[in-house]
Amino acid sequence: MSALLKNSQNGHLPASARIPAIARPFVSDRAMKTLDLVEKFVEEECIPADAVFQRQIGETTEERFSSHPSVLEDLKSKAKKLGLWNLFLPKNHFKEGAGFSNLEYGLMAEYLGKSMTASEATNCAAPDTGNMEVLAKYGNEAQKRKWLDPLLSGDIRSAFLMTEPQVASSDATNIELLIQRDGNDYVLNGEKWWSSGAGDPRCKIYIVLGKTDPYNKEKYKQQSVILVPHDTPGITIHRMLSVLGYDDAPHGHGHISFNNVRVPASNMVLGEGRGFEIIQGRLGPGRIHHAMRSVGAAEKALEWFLARLNDPSKTPFGEQLHKHGIMLDRIARSRIEIDAARLMVLNAAIKIDESNAKGALKEIAEVKVLVPTMNLTIIDRAIQAYGGAGVCQDTPLAYMYALGRTMRLVDGPDEVHILQLGKNENKRGPAHLARIDAQIKKGEELLKQYGIKIKDPLQLNRVSGNSSKL
Ligand SMILES: Cc1cc2nc3c(=O)[nH]c(=O)nc-3n(C[C@H](O)[C@H](O)[C@H](O)COP(=O)(O)OP(=O)(O)OC[C@H]3O[C@@H](n4cnc5c(N)ncnc54)[C@H](O)[C@@H]3O)c2cc1C
């Protein structure tokens, strides 16, 4: 058995045998086989290839944002041959994908999250995944043939442009980029940033959110989504933003302006005023993908943590690190936290499969908040165990930390989801108040019935304040 796959004291327990019991009944035999293939592909092909990818993108900024590492194309060919392609498009909503459920893909995405190259190698990388879902779900036939087909075949890449530097973009009603009708065209003016993927020389299409009707009294009808080819005159990429110092090349995060950018009216997706609906539809399953990849990243951090604890050359104060109880405590906590987070994500995926993203809003928001924080905690513990090596380029941990930190911001910051969850949870408050009051009242009646006199009146505990005499 390959050492690259060994994951237990006794050898290798394949990914399909490690599916949590709660999820197993929902996973088909075909998905189990594919899951094992994904694990093997990631561990044996993609993770070793990450080192080549990092070197092939070059040194200078110019090189890094114009390169297309050949190792990635080789991985893509291998993945296609193995049938590991477009795994993400859920079978109950799209005919274009590989035919798996959100849950089944969620299990696979965990492994993809362990490598820099695996998601793109299997054509499951953000933001293309969400963009393909938008085109498959809301695009017309012409839009699908022009942009969805080459995205599905991995020939081009795409970017999703919503966030703007001059407004608080976590509230999408603030978006200002103007999309104005002019004859048979639309003309776009405005600025975008954090346009992920715009640095890649293969990024050919921007899916842009802007306003066609900024004064509409219904504020969720002001926005529209339109398709803009990357080389349309009037588009300027000013710079690539870094993430805690990392440039994420060649993918990159662009700061882009639109100056009288003219596209045919037929590039409008779904129709004017439907933008909000589209971005809402785009984000649900995508959040699950991010979350599951983050579970995989946390699992990888734990593997690196365990490797350091068992490194015989590192013996602070005369003992290997695994002999120090504090480290075992951290290992145990990490195991618990990863396993708990995984169950939450799988539960959310099952809920989406049973209904749709709208029907799983609570579960999606829960994992959107919980998983990135869990991931950062585990990576932080691993970094600590490596000492100085943990924060430099000698382990993958520092970059994983930077990437993991962005997950508390992307697709809406924590606070937005927390507030929504808090508000919805609080809606149950009046019902609980009434129920607790009724229980206390019944307790008082029972006390009377049993002839029990008590010193401290129960009404002191009553929350509604309308006391009754014993
Ligand atoms: C690596 C990375 C990749 C990204 N990729 C893309 C992309 O491809 N396309 C794209 O369009 N955008 C992308 N983004 C942008 C991301 O979605 C936004 O940064 C995010 O939605 C927050 O918007 P903002 O930056 O305008 O911050 P703001 O909206 O100004 O929010 C700033 C802070 O205010 C606080 N806040 C916000 N709302 C509330 C609230 N209701 N209650 C309390 N506090 C609140 C939060 O702490 C929040 O972090 C990316 C960002 C990063 C870091």
Side-chain angles (χ1 to χ4, degrees):
M1 185 239 320
S2 156
L4 291 175
L5 268 184
K6 199 165 177 182
N7 60 19
S8 76
Q9 259 178 317
N10 305 318
H12 180 66
L13 204 54
S16 58
R18 288 181 277 127
I19 297 172
I22 243 169
R24 222 172 288 142
F26 302 96
V27 184
S28 68
D29 287 346
R30 179 175 159 254
M32 292 216 194
K33 283 190 190 114
T34 307
L35 178 62
D36 290 340
L37 272 179
V38 170
E39 182 194 22
K40 201 166 150 54
F41 180 63
V42 171
E43 297 288 351
E44 293 186 349
E45 307 283 346
C46 299
I47 293 176
D50 286 352
V52 182
F53 175 83
Q54 276 174 303
R55 269 116 200 128
Q56 278 190 336
I57 51 180
E59 297 280 331
T60 65
T61 304
E62 207 171 305
E63 281 169 1
R64 291 172 71 76
F65 286 106
S66 59
S67 65
H68 178 47
S70 60
V71 69
L72 202 47
E73 285 306 316
D74 293 340
L75 287 172
K76 281 161 78 175
S77 305
K78 283 181 191 166
K80 274 186 184 167
K81 274 192 201 127
L82 290 166
L84 306 180
W85 195 254
N86 292 334
L87 304 163
F88 67 97
L89 277 173
K91 65 177 175 192
N92 51 355
H93 293 121
F94 302 99
K95 60 180 182 331
E96 293 89 349
F100 297 112
S101 64
N102 280 291
L103 170 73
E104 290 166 341
Y105 173 61
L107 290 161
M108 298 169 199
E110 173 173 342
Y111 292 92
L112 302 181
K114 294 176 83 175
S115 154
M116 303 172 93
T117 51
S119 292
E120 194 177 340
T122 51
N123 216 35
C124 292
D128 296 329
T129 43
N131 293 341
M132 286 188 259
E133 285 193 33
V134 164
L135 289 164
K137 202 164 161 190
Y138 305 109
N140 60 33
E141 273 312 299
Q143 291 165 347
K144 284 186 190 177
R145 297 298 74 83
K146 184 145 194 208
W147 301 114
L148 179 61
D149 289 349
L151 279 167
L152 284 168
S153 58
D155 293 330
I156 64 166
R157 299 210 63 193
S158 60
F160 185 75
L161 279 59
M162 182 179 106
T163 306
E164 299 179 356
Q166 74 284 3
V167 295
S169 304
S170 52
D171 175 357
T173 61
N174 289 334
I175 294 307
E176 288 179 345
L177 181 133
L178 262 187
I179 307 174
Q180 288 166 304
R181 183 81 192 228
D182 184 26
N184 287 331
D185 297 331
Y186 281 102
V187 179
L188 284 76
N189 280 289
E191 210 173 322
K192 295 286 179 186
W193 76 343
W194 290 108
S195 307
S196 297
D200 193 316
R202 291 162 304 139
C203 180
K204 301 295 181 204
I205 182 73
Y206 299 159
I207 299 185
V208 181
L209 179 83
K211 279 191 176 163
T212 36
D213 191 6
Y215 303 108
N216 192 320
K217 284 200 182 92
E218 285 186 63
K219 64 177 182 175
Y220 297 110
K221 295 268 166 73
Q222 298 173 350
Q223 304 80 5
S224 301
V225 162
I226 194 158
L227 305 176
V228 183
H230 79 114
D231 53 358
T232 314
I235 293 178
T236 309
I237 300 185
H238 296 280
R239 58 181 177 146
M240 288 294 154
L241 305 166
S242 62
V243 173
L244 296 174
Y246 292 95
D247 64 6
D248 273 352
H251 182 70
H253 309 280
H255 184 171
I256 305 176
S257 66
F258 289 69
N259 187 12
N260 289 324
V261 172
R262 188 173 282 273
V263 292
S266 56
N267 284 21
M268 179 62 63
V269 182
L270 210 56
E272 281 190 28
R274 309 284 298 272
F276 220 86
E277 184 184 333
I278 295 173
I279 59 166
Q280 292 293 94
R282 182 182 184 275
L283 285 180
R287 287 182 177 137
I288 293 291
H289 304 167
H290 272 320
M292 226 29 206
R293 282 192 294 262
S294 296
V295 170
E299 197 68 68
K300 177 173 176 166
L302 179 55
E303 290 166 8
W304 276 74
F305 189 3
L306 287 165
R308 175 69 175 213
L309 262 51
N310 289 278
D311 180 346
S313 70
K314 297 291 193 272
T315 51
F317 302 94
E319 299 270 35
Q320 263 179 267
L321 278 177
H322 68 85
K323 300 269 185 187
H324 296 272
I326 192 166
M327 290 296 175
L328 290 179
D329 178 277
R330 288 177 193 167
I331 289 291
R333 287 183 196 285
S334 301
R335 182 72 280 147
I336 294 166
E337 289 157 21
I338 296 173
D339 286 355
R342 179 185 293 107
L343 291 181
M344 294 277 286
V345 187
L346 297 181
N347 179 53
I350 292 170
K351 196 81 194 283
I352 300 177
D353 285 331
E354 278 179 349
S355 51
N356 50 34
K358 221 171 168 186
L361 277 183
K362 175 172 132 324
E363 289 75 11
I364 293 172
E366 283 170 353
V367 301
K368 171 72 181 75
V369 174
L370 178 104
V371 176
T373 307
M374 175 283 295
N375 183 27
L376 289 174
T377 305
I378 313 297
I379 300 172
D380 184 68
R381 288 180 188 139
I383 286 176
Q384 190 70 12
Y386 276 86
V391 290
C392 74
Q393 67 273 39
D394 285 1
T395 80
L397 297 168
Y399 178 61
M400 284 164 62
Y401 192 87
L403 194 68
R405 181 62 184 84
T406 69
M407 295 301 153
R408 292 192 53 211
L409 295 166
V410 294
D411 295 348
D414 284 3
E415 292 85 345
V416 173
H417 303 283
I418 292 266
L419 276 179
Q420 199 55 42
L421 276 170
K423 273 186 197 158
N424 282 335
E425 196 63 17
N426 191 50
K427 282 183 191 156
R428 306 190 307 127
H432 286 308
L433 178 64
R435 186 168 50 82
I436 291 168
D437 262 356
Q439 284 166 340
I440 291 171
K441 203 162 170 221
K442 188 159 183 195
E444 289 168 350
E445 284 161 12
L446 281 173
L447 284 167
K448 257 192 217 163
Q449 208 178 306
Y450 283 92
I452 301 170
K453 284 208 185 310
I454 55 168
K455 228 172 158 189
D456 301 320
L458 281 186
Q459 59 262 41
L460 278 187
N461 296 326
R462 290 183 70 168
V463 280
S464 71
N466 53 356
S467 59
S468 67
K469 294 259 168 327
L470 274 177

